[in-house]
Amino acid sequence: MTKAVETLILGAGAAGMMCAAHAGADTLVIDHARAPGEKIRISGGGRCNFTNLHAGPENFLSQNPHFCKSALRRYTQWDFIDLIARHGIAWHEKTLGQLFCDDKATQIVAMLVDEMTRAGARLWLGTSLVDLSHDGTRFHATLDREGTRQSVSARNLVLATGGKSIPKMGATGLAYDIARQFGHALTETRPALVPLTFSDAPFAPLSGVALPARVGHDTTHFDEAVLFTHRGLSGPAILQVSSYWHEGEAITLDLDPTGALFDALRAQRQTQGRRNLTTELARHLPAKLVDHLTPLLGLSGNLADQSDARLGEIVSALRHWSLKPTGSEGYRTAEVTLGGVDTDELSSKTMMSNHLPGLYFIGEAVDVTGWLGGYNFQWAWSSGWAAGTAI
Ligand code: FDA
């Protein structure tokens, strides 16, 4: 027997549950996972960086940078903060406007389940899509619910199955397949917010060393921590820049982001001229990193041996360290998928398809990708809300 509903939402993640909380009572949400919101649960080290105080369209990458504006403006970080306040969830700002739960990320999952069930939506876990068609008026889905076939027809279909990152957690390209099935174009997808790798593992001896830096690519740069790893580079600044980087391109590291090093070295030369140059540099940079850079920059002698020009040369090299990663850690560890369903064929107000009324794409599946720092969840909330309230 076919079960008829008004709205079928595929994916009980951040965007899907937010949408279900607003889409009206006759809504069915399905997910192949055993639990809803698994990425929320593991996010932010178990505390979920659920939004960012400074979230705005400039923090998102998309082929059409204007697309995200409407949803972000109509459902803001302040709306989400109000929601969690109503649920008594305590939070704090960690850094750079990033808001985390004081307690556990599972509070956010419980809140969303509560919101959607209170709105009347039903949730079927352990359920996957077997077949999908549209008869000109309604969608017809064959589902596998824990081994049992079930037919569902719906007037609206919302794709909220996210991107391809972390396949081990159940990420699939289902939204992209369905987009193609109904004639939607996709922009190129690739792993983003991901550590970068070097085939010859030049930083293996530095593994675990971290320092604040400015990491740049082209005209974009981020001032955050960099972490050296066995296979390459990680840390927030590297993850941020990874979203802009393409294979074959270089990134630049500025290891003196405050620009104070040259004056500091000159001042020390005045009073501590007999101090070894590398010893002095190790007061400003991690000692292991100074060891690594010593042969590369030909560092030798005492501070008194270094002319202004030579100090300038050393500082300049530290401020413009150009590196060419050979790859990234890929979808295995990427926090998000860059690219996705092309926004050209979606309404920025409702997230509905321009050529098949009733078909919606929300969250990470869409070609809108946020920076690191709570922006991706904000997009999930804003786009989920936009579709839910439009339905
Ligand atoms: P999401 O991935 O949340 O949900 C998709 C749902 O669809 C899942 O429940 C999945 O099981 C289901 N699904 C997939 N394929 C299916 C299929 N074929 N059939 C049925 N169901 C299917 N962002 C942020 O802002 N702050 C943070 O702190 C973090 N931290 C973080 C840590 C880690 C380790 C990762 C991997 C990611 C983050 N992110 C993040 C990114 C954030 O998790 C992500 O952008 C959102 O979860 C996207 O929300 P969606 O609802 O679009 O997809």
Side-chain angles (χ1 to χ4, degrees), residues 19 47 51 54 58 67 79 97 110 117 124-125 128 130-131 135-136 144 151 157 181 276-277 282 298 334 370 373 386:
C19 181
R47 290 226 159 92
T51 193
H54 313 303
E58 60 284 359
F67 180 82
D79 292 314
T117 39
W124 289 1
L125 294 167
S128 32
V130 178
D131 187 55
D135 65 8
D144 180 329
S151 298
L157 178 74
Q181 176 182 347
N276 198 290
L277 171 64

Side-chain angles (χ1 to χ4, degrees), residues 11-16 31-33 39 42-44 48-49 127 160-162 166 170 172 174 334-336 362-364 374-377 380:
D31 200 298
H32 64 176
K39 277 195 185 161
I42 63 151
S43 67
C48 186
N49 177 194
T127 304
T161 48
I166 326 242
T172 67
L174 182 68
E335 271 199 20
V336 286
I362 57 175
E364 199 182 314
Y375 301 100
N376 284 296
F377 278 134

Side-chain angles (χ1 to χ4, degrees), residues 201-210 226-234 288-289 292:
F203 305 125
L206 298 184
S207 179
V209 170
V226 167
L227 171 70
F228 293 89
T229 68
H230 277 286
R231 290 162 51 85
L233 293 169
S234 186
K288 273 189 178 177
L289 179 58
H292 178 85

Side-chain angles (χ1 to χ4, degrees), residues 67 134 139 156-159 178-179 181-185 341-362 366 387 390-391:
F67 180 82
H134 189 257
F139 293 92
N156 303 303
L157 178 74
V158 183
L159 264 300
I178 293 175
Q181 176 182 347
F182 292 112
H184 274 265
V341 179
D342 196 330
T343 58
D344 269 3
E345 295 155 316
L346 300 178
S347 155
S348 62
K349 198 160 174 242
T350 65
M351 305 292 135
M352 191 170 80
S353 160
N354 287 339
H355 50 251
L356 183 52
L359 178 63
Y360 296 79
F361 294 91
I362 57 175
V366 179
I391 282 171

Side-chain angles (χ1 to χ4, degrees), residues 10-18 30-40 42-45 47-52 99-100 125 127-129 159-163 165-166 169-175 177 193 331-337 362-366 368 370-381 383:
L10 306 187
M17 288 195 280
M18 181 54 112
I30 70 145
D31 200 298
H32 64 176
R34 296 259 137 243
E38 280 292 89
K39 277 195 185 161
I40 301 172
I42 63 151
S43 67
R47 290 226 159 92
C48 186
N49 177 194
F50 54 81
T51 193
N52 193 295
L99 305 191
F100 286 75
L125 294 167
T127 304
S128 32
L129 181 72
L159 264 300
T161 48
S165 45
I166 326 242
M169 289 191 69
T172 67
L174 182 68
D177 298 340
L193 300 183
Y331 287 118
R332 191 177 56 84
T333 60
E335 271 199 20
V336 286
T337 302
I362 57 175
E364 199 182 314
V366 179
V368 174
W371 288 358
L372 184 80
Y375 301 100
N376 284 296
F377 278 134
Q378 186 58 46
W379 172 246
W381 317 137
S383 59

Side-chain angles (χ1 to χ4, degrees), residues 42 57-58 78 89 93 140 147-148 187 219 247 268 290 300 308 365:
I42 63 151
E58 60 284 359
W78 306 109
I89 299 174
E93 179 185 354
H140 297 276
T148 305
T187 64
T219 55
E247 248 176 73
Q268 282 301 311
V290 174
S300 67
D308 274 2

